[in-house]
């Protein structure tokens, strides 16, 4: 995975956050995932495949961060992870992946997107099985940090 | 999703359980997922895509069931969800999906498989976002029940 590839997801996440949630945030340095991330409460993911590569985008939130994000997006105070919040994580995951897909298309990658899956729960730890590296991008917000994980492997042709 | 399609996953799950874990189990009736399943502790999933359809297979276990399954497969007592158990759920998910892929190929579906993702945590609830239905197949074992969920949507061509 080259920097351009990672940046497609990073830029798309930043775009979605800024336009949909009008949220202040800072983006940390992308790094290889070597140990488990801090535990989270809700995770959205979408697999993507192209003739060149296959992989998954994962976005993982703690409860305080997703409630803050949901409150901004829904323009009302949201104080629990309910069905509306689950839908919103599905939608966010879809928007981020869709945005990255469009940028990657310009770079010669023609990705198909699978459908989003959202898992809610406590103390979540995510493991991706792949021959490729998992890259983690940390985002900091007023309500805490959250993480975008991308993991792709090249397809032998 | 027709019965044949669902049965490909169901047969593959049963094969993997019988051959890899030598486990006694009974298979319940496949049903449409209308409400959340009982909560689980570890979930494996793989997205699949073909020119005709896109979707995800999800296998979700409570702690007692996965520890019983892991103890059988690893031929030693496993009393916590550790890294080895996480790997095993990734592998099981892969084997079930791979088996179904081969059967579906004979039926004219040429699916690409994404890479497996495993999420560990407490009180997991899974939501698939799709235009297609989510079908749930319950399996009963001595240690409790577990669930296979398949959710596919047709691709407009």
């Amino acid at each position: 995975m080259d920097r351009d590839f990672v940046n497609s997801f990073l830029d798309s996440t930043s775009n979605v956050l800024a336009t949909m949630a009008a949220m202040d945030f800072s983006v940390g340095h992308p790094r290889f995932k070597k140990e488990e991330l801090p535990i989270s409460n809700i995770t959205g993911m979408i697999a993507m495949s192209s003739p060149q590569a296959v992989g998954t985008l994962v976005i993982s939130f703690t409860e305080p961060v997703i409630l803050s994000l949901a409150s901004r997006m829904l323009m009302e105070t949201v104080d629990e992870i309910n069905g509306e919040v689950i839908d919103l994580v599905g939608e966010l995951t879809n928007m981020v992946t869709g945005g990255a897909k469009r940028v990657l298309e310009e770079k010669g990658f023609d990705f198909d997107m699978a459908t989003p899956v959202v898992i809610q729960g406590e103390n979540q730890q995510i493991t991706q099985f792949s021959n490729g590296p998992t890259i983690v991008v940390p985002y900091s917000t007023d309500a805490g940090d959250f993480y975008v994980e991308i993991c792709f492997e090249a397809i032998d042709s």
Side-chain angles (χ1 to χ4, degrees), chain A residues 17-102:
Chain A
L17 278 183
T19 56
M20 301 305 292
M23 202 172 201
D24 284 331
F25 59 89
S26 63
V27 189
H29 285 292
R31 60 170 195 260
F32 291 108
K33 187 180 186 182
K34 287 186 183 142
E35 54 205 39
E36 287 308 313
L37 298 179
I39 52 181
S40 59
N41 296 102
I42 189 161
T43 298
M45 68 203 88
I46 296 190
M48 296 172 77
S49 61
S50 77
Q52 303 103 318
V54 62
T56 304
L57 168 103
V58 171
I59 308 183
S60 205
F61 301 97
T62 58
E63 186 162 0
V65 174
I66 195 58
L67 293 183
S68 161
L69 193 54
S71 297
R72 282 164 179 280
M73 287 181 71
L74 302 170
M75 287 185 279
E76 62 184 33
T77 304
V78 181
D79 54 14
E80 56 162 358
I81 297 180
N82 54 24
E84 222 172 355
V85 174
I86 292 171
D87 287 353
L88 191 142
V89 172
E91 227 175 283
L92 277 173
T93 312
N94 215 15
M95 285 189 287
V96 168
T97 313
K101 173 182 151 73
R102 280 189 295 278

